[in-house]
Amino acid sequence: MRHAVIVLLAVSCLSIAAHTQTADELIAKNIQAKGGMDKINAIKSVRQTGKLDLGGGFRAQAMQENQRPNMVRETFSIQGMTAVQAYDGTAGWQIQPFHGHKDPELLGEDDLRDMQLDSDFDGALVDYKEKGNTIEYLGHDVVDGDDALRLKVTLKNGDIVYYDLDPDTYLEIRTETQQFIRGSVRERVTELGSYKPVNGVYLPFSVETGPKRNPDVRAKITYEKIEANIDLPDADFKMRPRP
């Protein structure tokens, strides 16, 4: 009996090791598919511009700017007004003229979580251990009838992001985010596609996101241009009084 227990423990340990190794192997293939760490690290800033389709015939100009290590600024413009949300690595803020708020104000907890997630320049998979994230390989999943490889990423703050990778390219085709805020769970789905190389790194030019349980209200961004290594002053990400 004692020998059997020892054998079972050994098998369990090997299984856990293989499980972890599989997750790390998938992450390595994902990084390589995007262009490799050298090319990823060579990009210090990114500006993405395109059109935001809000449904119901409403369209806006959208732009997202990211700069290492963890700064992000997102804008969308419609009917001559521009909304801004940004995170400078410490504080998150916004300008919401559509709600009558033309001066910068601090973000609430819900929106701040989103901005902190968007500020991760390389995404949650790259250097995940250094970021305090943990990752599990959950096996195969089905995305819109197609096979996918699913990773579960538990972020340092306790939120969870599920990554579905294409089994042929190993690029992300969908993510599902679970955020735990004030005792409730907020779930969001993001579909990614139309990957093209930017400075040798493959990035999605099509992003559709919205509530998991209500696909009718999802917004789609089609990027027309993605520029890398452009000059983005740190001041653009910081909250400042309106002139």
Side-chain angles (χ1 to χ4, degrees), residues 3 30 76 83 88 97 125 166 191 195 202 211 214 229:
H3 177 72
N30 172 262
F76 76 91
D88 64 5
L125 299 183
D166 185 299
E191 309 276 353
Y195 280 85
Y202 279 84
N214 193 354
N229 292 330

Side-chain angles (χ1 to χ4, degrees), residues 152-199:
K152 177 184 178 182
V153 182
T154 303
L155 304 178
K156 185 177 180 180
N157 65 5
D159 291 344
I160 297 172
V161 183
Y162 295 94
Y163 280 77
D164 287 314
L165 308 182
D166 185 299
D168 296 320
T169 66
Y170 297 102
L171 295 171
E172 298 97 317
I173 55 176
R174 182 180 68 180
T175 64
E176 292 184 22
T177 305
Q178 292 182 349
Q179 295 172 316
F180 304 93
I181 302 173
R182 295 185 298 277
S184 62
V185 180
R186 183 173 63 172
E187 296 182 296
R188 184 175 70 254
V189 170
T190 300
E191 309 276 353
L192 306 122
S194 299
Y195 280 85
K196 299 176 185 178
V198 178
N199 283 38

Side-chain angles (χ1 to χ4, degrees), residues 18-211:
H19 193 72
T20 304
Q21 185 181 16
T22 302
D24 286 336
E25 286 176 352
L26 285 177
I27 293 169
K29 290 179 179 179
N30 172 262
I31 291 171
Q32 191 60 38
K34 289 178 179 176
M37 280 308 307
D38 288 344
K39 290 181 180 178
I40 290 173
N41 287 330
I43 295 181
K44 308 301 182 183
S45 65
V46 173
R47 174 185 288 155
Q48 305 175 88
T49 54
K51 296 190 180 299
L52 173 64
D53 188 343
L54 300 169
F58 290 98
R59 291 180 175 82
Q61 288 294 123
M63 180 172 68
Q64 178 171 326
E65 296 174 320
N66 287 75
Q67 182 156 280
R68 291 190 186 275
N70 58 342
M71 292 186 284
V72 60
R73 178 185 174 101
E74 299 173 359
T75 65
F76 76 91
S77 304
I78 189 172
Q79 297 176 346
M81 294 189 292
T82 298
V84 181
Q85 288 191 327
Y87 179 72
D88 64 5
T90 303
W93 56 277
Q94 65 180 347
I95 300 174
Q96 292 293 348
F98 304 104
H99 300 296
H101 304 293
K102 296 183 179 181
D103 292 315
E105 57 188 16
L106 292 173
L107 286 174
E109 184 180 0
D110 296 31
D111 291 327
L112 180 60
R113 288 284 188 90
D114 288 337
M115 296 306 293
Q116 288 173 330
L117 190 61
D118 290 347
S119 74
D120 188 342
F121 196 90
D122 297 317
L125 299 183
V126 176
D127 295 330
Y128 72 91
K129 292 179 182 178
E130 289 81 355
K131 295 172 182 176
N133 303 337
T134 60
I135 298 184
E136 304 171 63
Y137 172 52
L138 301 183
H140 289 256
D141 194 12
V142 177
V143 176
D144 297 330
D146 295 323
D147 189 32
L149 304 170
R150 170 160 280 212
L151 293 170
K152 177 184 178 182
V153 182
T154 303
L155 304 178
K156 185 177 180 180
N157 65 5
D159 291 344
I160 297 172
V161 183
Y162 295 94
Y163 280 77
D164 287 314
L165 308 182
D166 185 299
D168 296 320
T169 66
Y170 297 102
L171 295 171
E172 298 97 317
I173 55 176
R174 182 180 68 180
T175 64
E176 292 184 22
T177 305
Q178 292 182 349
Q179 295 172 316
F180 304 93
I181 302 173
R182 295 185 298 277
S184 62
V185 180
R186 183 173 63 172
E187 296 182 296
R188 184 175 70 254
V189 170
T190 300
E191 309 276 353
L192 306 122
S194 299
Y195 280 85
K196 299 176 185 178
V198 178
N199 283 38
V201 176
Y202 279 84
L203 299 175
F205 276 67
S206 175
V207 180
E208 184 173 337
T209 187

